[in-house]
Amino acid sequence: NAGVTQTPKFQVLKTGQSMTLQCAQDMNHEYMSWYRQDPGMGLRLIHYSVGAGITDQGEVPNGYNVSRSTTEDFPLRLLSAAPSQTSVYFCASSRGGHNEQFFGPGTRLTVL
Amino acid sequence: RKEVEQDPGPFNVPEGATVAFNCTYSNSASQSFFWYRQDCRKEPKLLMSVYSSGNEDGRFTAQLNRASQYISLLIRDSKLSDSATYLCVVTGAGGSARQLTFGSGTQLTVLP
């Protein structure tokens, strides 16, 4: 099993550009989440999904969209990149909300 | 007050030392507790769950004090490979990803 995979690993954007961060898992987990990690802030939840076709907002959803058309994939879209979105983005999956979270390797995003 | 608070450190200890980390949480309804380990520029990985009766995994011991709303992690006989950031994670009632809260982490460096 590959576990949780994320692409790209690194990305540089200009302010106003849009892009999609990809996330896929092969563990048949229902729960998937997107987090951003900033120095001194810990991991903050952006959006999450409890199953295909179901998504909900987390703590910091503004500027991001998600969709969950399959159990395996959970892409995160940046609509119009801003320097405040410079961060490390982690995708995670789990069997349920109280279970171990499996994280992808992360995407380091810089917005100029 | 942050929902989950940790001493950011850094903790610099010699090999073989015993080191303890504490984490406090604000939601008395919290149900599940975990310690994750994050190596530099890597994704977080589960170190251990924390059970009400306390639990041990080799050199690592986790304790939960519901009355005082804190959890602890004790590392005995520290190894160089223990150098990492340790994240305290708390899950609230309901079990959704929205209820999963990460502390900002405690940095540990084990010195030769």
Side-chain angles (χ1 to χ4, degrees):
Chain A
N1 286 351
V4 180
T5 58
Q6 289 183 239
T7 56
K9 289 188 177 178
F10 301 93
Q11 183 69 50
V12 179
L13 293 177
K14 294 181 180 178
T15 297
Q17 286 184 314
S18 62
M19 79 159 295
T20 300
L21 308 185
Q22 301 292 343
C23 174
Q25 53 93 8
D26 61 0
M27 296 174 282
N28 203 31
H29 286 166
E30 291 296 324
Y31 278 65
M32 295 187 75
S33 306
W34 276 102
Y35 296 89
R36 59 177 289 172
Q37 186 173 36
D38 302 294
M41 301 289 291
L43 284 145
R44 292 184 291 168
L45 182 66
I46 304 171
H47 285 285
Y48 67 100
S49 169
V50 299
I54 306 169
T55 64
D56 204 349
Q57 296 181 350
E59 179 185 355
V60 289
N62 292 340
Y64 308 94
N65 273 356
V66 291
S67 60
R68 184 96 180 271
S69 56
T70 67
T71 299
E72 294 77 21
D73 300 298
F74 191 42
L76 177 73
R77 282 182 286 278
L78 279 71
L79 309 173
S80 177
S84 60
Q85 293 178 304
T86 293
S87 188
V88 181
Y89 292 83
F90 289 103
C91 178
S93 75
S94 67
R95 285 189 290 115
H98 291 288
N99 299 105
E100 177 183 0
Q101 300 274 314
F102 293 84
F103 287 85
T107 294
R108 295 182 178 275
L109 176 68
T110 300
V111 183
L112 303 175
Chain B
R1 181 186 173 187
K2 287 184 181 178
E3 290 186 52
V4 177
E5 290 203 65
Q6 296 182 247
D7 182 341
F11 284 64
N12 298 318
V13 302
E15 263 187 299
T18 295
V19 61
F21 307 136
N22 285 334
C23 165
T24 58
Y25 60 95
S26 60
N27 185 354
S28 60
S30 296
Q31 292 192 350
S32 302
F33 309 89
F34 308 90
W35 284 102
Y36 279 71
R37 171 195 169 124
Q38 186 173 23
D39 294 308
C40 187
R41 302 178 74 83
K42 298 287 189 180
E43 71 272 25
K45 292 184 179 179
L46 180 67
L47 177 66
M48 59 196 302
S49 302
V50 186
Y51 302 121
S52 296
S53 55
N55 48 299
E56 192 173 301
D57 183 1
R59 298 181 293 108
F60 298 84
T61 301
Q63 297 274 350
L64 168 63
N65 185 319
R66 285 189 183 272
S68 300
Q69 294 181 211
Y70 79 82
I71 68 175
S72 63
L73 177 68
L74 182 76
I75 305 175
R76 292 182 299 278
D77 189 23
S78 299
K79 312 290 185 190
L80 296 176
S81 57
D82 294 333
S83 297
T85 297
Y86 291 84
L87 305 173
C88 171
V89 182
V90 174
T91 303
S96 76
R98 185 191 288 271
Q99 306 294 333
L100 197 69
T101 305
F102 287 79
S104 54
T106 297
Q107 185 180 343
L108 171 67
T109 301
V110 181
L111 304 168

